[in-house]
Amino acid sequence: MQQTEQLGRYQLLDRIAFGGMAEIYRAKTFDDQGNVHWVAVKRVLRNLCTDGEFLRMLIDEAKVSALLSHPNIARVYEFAHVGGDYFITMEFVDGKDLRALLEKRRARKAPLSAAEVAWIGIGAARALDAAHSQHDRSGNWLHLVHRDVSPSNILLSYTGEVKLCDFGIAKATLNRVQTQAGVIKGKVKYMSPEQTLGSTLDGRSDLFSLGSVLYEAATLIPPFMTSNETDTLRLIRSGKRADPSTLQPSTPAALNAIINRLHARQAAERFSSGAELERALTEFLQADAPSYRRSHFARLMRDEFSGEIEQELRTMEEYVVHEADPQALGENLIADVLDKEAPFRRFAPSDGTQTTAHDGGDATRKHAVRSLHHEPTRLLRDEQTKKL
């Protein structure tokens, strides 16, 4: 059996990702009714925690991200400080990111279908439109730009949802590339021409990046990629790349045209907003696959990752939770922008039923971890044709 690690209000389970800025854990917490809530905890790497300017930038951007509440955006709950640790707590999306799905498909040389590409694009377009039009609590337009729309930041759930994550956090991370090489390695190929030039950005930059993501989903080949990042930047600025239909002849003309418009060198020639892009993709999907539904995409995800789902289920069942320290909750550094109903205010590291030495019980009473997959994943697996 494996033991969880308490970090603030959360019990960390398995590490699910590691990058240049942080390591990401699946974690559980409880509300004041004893209900379990699953979250993703992104713990900033210790070597970055000594950089005060970087941390301040992360906090400022997290405050903006925490204002976003939309079905296609992974919600931010906290940016907390506990001891020497700084971490961001976000909504946990039970699934995989688009990068993992594309890796699966590349191994089989099987691009996503046009309907699957459109479904992903519609969800991402909705998220971008919501973010680009976001106002603060005083009614001021935030001019929010993601800056890092890439396969690793598009989350795909086993129930067919598409969610964009890391809004705002991208700005601080990308800015740090000037002082720490490697933080954004691999992300350059999704930048817009104006982003490579350091120009002022608006939402149309994110739409260009989404065009690169959809291009790759349709062809399995990134549109702008060379052997080094300097040449990749030059290629993006030139706008030269193969037409999607050249690499994947089965790409429908309408979808091909949408991707090409997203890749217009001049921002004014692209879609004007995420809403306009969503309408174009929805119109295409209705014409190309009118019966396509969320349940179809859920089935795709379940089939592609069936082995991983079972392995994750077994892993979760091995964890036990020891008595938590209710005094070690740390400080939420973005609490000042959140209202009194913010979810984190109800979170605690235990369900409140643990016995202690004071009541004559076992101070190390263990609580078995029920897997998040018991409900959504097994339901989907056992009810193949269920409409979601």
Side-chain angles (χ1 to χ4, degrees):
M1 303 294 281
Q2 301 186 64
Q3 298 180 18
T4 61
E5 172 191 354
Q6 181 181 344
L7 181 62
R9 296 172 172 83
Y10 313 96
Q11 298 286 347
L12 306 186
L13 285 81
D14 56 326
R15 190 173 76 174
I16 55 180
F18 181 87
M21 185 194 89
E23 50 186 353
I24 305 175
Y25 289 86
R26 185 193 329 249
K28 66 183 298 187
T29 189
F30 302 85
D31 62 25
D32 48 16
Q33 302 299 313
N35 300 310
V36 175
H37 294 264
W38 294 87
V39 298
V41 172
K42 180 176 289 191
R43 181 158 61 182
V44 179
L45 299 182
R46 280 294 181 93
N47 65 299
L48 299 179
C49 291
T50 58
D51 187 334
E53 181 180 356
F54 178 59
L55 289 173
R56 283 192 296 273
M57 194 178 303
L58 277 178
I59 293 168
D60 289 343
E61 296 300 328
K63 287 182 177 182
V64 175
S65 301
L67 296 175
L68 296 171
S69 179
H70 188 272
N72 294 105
I73 297 176
R75 190 169 184 182
V76 171
Y77 298 130
E78 276 201 88
F79 190 110
H81 175 216
V82 177
D85 285 309
Y86 290 83
F87 60 92
I88 300 164
T89 307
M90 306 168 64
E91 171 187 359
F92 180 78
V93 178
D94 187 24
K96 299 294 180 182
D97 61 31
L98 178 56
R99 178 179 58 180
L101 178 58
L102 293 180
E103 287 174 354
K104 286 267 189 181
R105 288 306 188 95
R106 266 191 280 267
R108 302 205 316 269
K109 299 182 179 180
L112 296 175
S113 71
E116 291 159 355
V117 173
W119 181 261
I120 293 169
I122 289 169
R126 288 172 178 165
L128 288 174
D129 188 65
H132 295 160
S133 58
Q134 179 71 35
H135 291 68
D136 65 19
R137 300 196 187 283
S138 299
N140 301 307
W141 184 29
L142 291 175
H143 300 276
L144 184 59
V145 181
H146 190 289
R147 293 177 169 80
D148 190 16
V149 178
S150 58
S152 60
N153 282 330
I154 296 179
L155 307 179
L156 311 173
S157 80
Y158 295 135
T159 56
E161 299 170 301
V162 177
K163 290 180 181 274
L164 202 53
C165 68
D166 277 8
F167 270 99
I169 305 305
K171 181 178 180 181
T173 308
L174 292 172
N175 285 346
R176 189 177 170 79
V177 75
Q178 299 175 359
T179 57
Q180 179 168 322
V183 169
I184 60 164
K185 186 175 181 179
K187 299 299 184 78
V188 167
K189 60 179 177 284
Y190 301 105
M191 287 183 175
S192 67
E194 56 268 34
Q195 191 173 6
T196 69
L197 294 169
S199 304
T200 301
L201 304 180
D202 62 24
R204 294 170 297 182
S205 174
D206 285 342
L207 295 181
F208 185 100
S209 299
L210 180 55
S212 294
V213 171
L214 299 183
Y215 182 111
E216 185 175 353
T219 67
L220 297 183
I221 300 172
F224 306 104
M225 188 171 67
T226 66
S227 59
N228 64 79
E229 292 187 344
T230 300
D231 287 343
T232 298
L233 293 174
R234 293 196 186 103
L235 190 61
I236 292 171
R237 292 166 189 162
S238 74
K240 295 179 180 178
R241 46 75 161 166
D243 193 84
S245 62
T246 300
L247 299 177
Q248 186 60 34
S250 64
T251 304
L255 180 60
N256 197 69
I258 290 172
I259 296 174
N260 285 340
R261 184 175 173 186
L262 286 168
H263 272 165
R265 288 181 63 193
Q266 299 301 319
E269 297 175 5
R270 301 170 201 157
F271 291 93
S272 62
S273 66
E276 186 183 10
L277 172 59
E278 179 197 350
R279 287 193 295 271
L281 287 169
T282 299
E283 183 177 313
F284 163 75
L285 185 61
Q286 290 173 345
D288 183 75
S291 62
Y292 197 86
R293 298 290 184 271
R294 175 176 153 183
S295 57
H296 294 94
F297 197 78
R299 189 173 299 113
L300 162 73
M301 291 297 295
R302 182 177 64 252
D303 291 345
E304 290 286 353
F305 295 100
S306 58
E308 288 87 344
I309 289 170
E310 290 301 321
Q311 179 58 49
E312 290 168 6
L313 177 59
R314 289 193 293 270
T315 299
M316 292 299 97
E317 291 174 336
E318 293 178 356
Y319 278 92
V320 293
V321 180
H322 286 272
E323 184 177 17
D325 179 0
Q327 303 304 316
L329 303 185
E331 177 187 6
N332 186 357
L333 301 174
I334 62 172
D336 58 312
V337 302
L338 301 174
D339 58 37
K340 294 181 179 180
E341 301 302 317
F344 87 93
R345 300 185 193 279
R346 302 191 307 274
F347 291 164
S350 75
D351 62 4
T353 64
Q354 293 169 310
T355 57
T356 67
H358 297 291
D359 60 19
D362 179 1
T364 59
R365 178 180 174 187
K366 298 179 179 180
H367 292 262
V369 177
R370 286 193 65 217
S371 172
L372 176 63
H373 302 308
H374 275 68
E375 293 302 323
T377 305
R378 286 185 171 173
L379 178 64
L380 286 169
R381 182 188 62 198
D382 297 338
E383 301 182 29
Q384 295 285 324
T385 60
K386 182 177 177 63
K387 293 288 187 180
L388 297 174

